[in-house]
């Protein structure tokens, strides 16, 4: 059974979701994304290369293992145009991998700027990734080849822990 919280839990950054993990714990954070046409939620398991799919009402649909992806998943987004999942890796060279809904990789782009891999946004119409930049006080916009094309400052006291982008991105949550 999944439980979604829209209020911060102790020790969890704003925008994080409590995900029931295989070992019964919920102490890690996970990114999520929403498929607009049926409003299904996709949650990244913070300890495995695995995505959980739920209906908007919390009914479990399936687990999608991401073939060949190095766990953990640093960010998750949905390509509304292509019906694909996009996963951000957390290694020394963070990259975005495009997966079909069976969990097979389709494309891969190394990000060419230092990032803080805690969340991933994607504008399907503009084909642009959004990721918090290293240091946390700006959001970077990257093209599908991983090149930084814009930087959006958040201010000295702000820090990004969750990102979404694209037309109707805010409306997908309601």
């Amino acid at each position: 059974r999944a439980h979604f919280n829209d209020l911060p839990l102790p020790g969890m950054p704003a925008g994080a979701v409590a995900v029931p993990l295989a070992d019964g714990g919920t102490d890690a954070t996970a990114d999520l994304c929403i498929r607009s046409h049926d409003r299904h939620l996709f949650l990244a398991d913070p300890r495995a290369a695995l995505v959980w799919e739920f209906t908007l009402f919390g009914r479990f649909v399936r687990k999608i293992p991401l073939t060949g992806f190095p766990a953990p998943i640093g960010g998750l987004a949905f390509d509304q145009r292509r019906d694909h999942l996009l996963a951000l890796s957390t290694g020394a060279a963070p990259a975005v991998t495009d997966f079909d809904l069976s969990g097979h990789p389709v494309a891969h782009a190394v990000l060419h700027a230092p990032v803080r891999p805690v969340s991933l946004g994607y504008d399907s119409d503009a084909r642009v990734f959004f990721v918090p930049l290293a240091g946390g006080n700006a959001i970077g916009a990257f093209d599908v080849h991983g090149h930084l094309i814009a930087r959006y400052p958040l201010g000295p006291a702000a820090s990004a822990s969750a990102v979404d982008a694209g037309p109707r991105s805010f409306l997908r949550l309601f």
Side-chain angles (χ1 to χ4, degrees), residues 24-90:
T26 58
D27 59 341
T29 60
D31 201 8
L32 65 88
C33 59
I34 298 173
R35 180 171 56 201
S36 292
H37 73 84
D38 61 6
R39 300 171 95 189
H40 277 208
L41 301 172
F42 296 86
L43 283 81
D45 188 313
R47 298 185 183 166
L50 183 68
V51 174
W52 299 27
E53 181 180 355
F54 297 90
T55 67
L56 181 63
F57 303 106
R59 187 178 58 80
F60 174 76
V61 176
R62 64 184 166 152
K63 291 181 185 180
I64 305 169
L66 302 181
T67 305
F69 191 81
I73 299 169
L76 191 66
F78 201 85
D79 183 339
Q80 306 296 331
R81 297 273 184 216
R82 298 178 60 223
D83 213 29
H84 282 192
L85 288 166
L86 304 166
L88 174 65
S89 65
T90 61

Side-chain angles (χ1 to χ4, degrees), residues 114-170:
V115 299
R116 185 171 159 245
V118 296
S119 186
L120 175 66
Y122 184 67
D123 183 332
S124 301
D125 292 339
R127 298 187 67 210
V128 173
F129 304 118
F130 295 89
V131 182
L133 295 175
N137 60 354
I139 302 291
F142 296 83
D143 66 18
V144 294
H145 304 291
H147 300 288
L148 182 65
I149 57 173
R151 177 185 304 260
Y152 302 101
L154 299 174
S159 177
S161 61
V163 179
D164 196 7
R168 302 170 309 279
S169 62
F170 182 71

